[in-house]
Structure formats: C-alpha cells, structure tokens
Amino acid sequence: MTRRSRLAASASALTYRWTYLRVVDEADADLFGFLGDRLPGARVVDCGCGPGITSEKLLRAGVDSLLAVDASALMVRQARARLAGFGTAQVYRAYVDATFLLGLADPPDIVLFKRSLYA
C-alpha cells in the first residue's frame, strides 16, 4: 500500500461517522432491494467494508460466505468485532483492486464496492 493510499484510508476512517452513518440505512435499503433474491446462499466480497455495518446486514440476509476487506486498520478492527459471531465471515486488511479479486480461490457471486472506489 502506498503512502497516499494509507493517508486516504486514515482520512476515510476519521470522517466515516459524519459522512456515511447518516445515510447508511437508506442506501442499504436500496441496495438490498436491488439484490433481492440473489443474496441467500451467495458468496460476497465487501470491498471497503468499513466497520462492517453492511457486511452484517448481508450475513443476516442469508449470504453463504462473506469476505470483508478494508484498507483501514481501525475499520478492520471494528468490522472484526461486529462480525465475530458469524462463522462464515472473514475480515482482512488490504488495499483492494482488481488483482486482489483475481487471486480468490472461489469466485464470488457478488462484489460490493460501496463508497470505496474513490480510494
């Protein structure tokens, strides 16, 4: 991860509560409405998972497995704590780009980049 990427991840973590949490439920309702019956049993990668709010909702919606990834150590710690009770969730710190996705052993059914493409 480059210095610039680390700085972007740190800035994102600091402003997360003020810029994201205010709209998370509304945005997730739209997302889940769009995905509908594709969620139960799906293999999902949540790129830029933040503190794991949407990841948790995905697991509660019945996804089969979830790989949550974020570049911020703070966000990864929060996501791990939030998702600790779900046996099918894995949370990693990584800077995700297309090459990361190519290295996955099992191709996911859904790859989610929600408010993370800017990084």
Side-chain angles (χ1 to χ4, degrees), residues 8-80:
S10 296
S12 175
L14 291 173
T15 61
Y16 196 86
R17 289 178 198 243
W18 297 281
T19 63
Y20 180 70
L21 294 180
R22 296 174 192 240
V23 297
V24 69
D25 290 329
E26 185 176 315
D28 284 347
D30 291 342
L31 172 67
F32 281 66
F34 173 76
L35 292 173
D37 62 356
R38 290 176 275 195
L39 288 174
R43 292 178 311 275
V44 179
V45 178
D46 185 359
C47 302
C49 68
I53 294 169
T54 302
S55 296
E56 180 181 7
K57 291 177 184 178
L58 288 164
L59 289 162
R60 292 190 187 282
V63 302
D64 186 53
S65 65
L66 177 91
L67 172 59
V69 183
D70 203 285
S72 165
L74 173 62
M75 294 288 111
V76 167
R77 281 194 301 275
Q78 290 179 16
R80 283 183 178 151

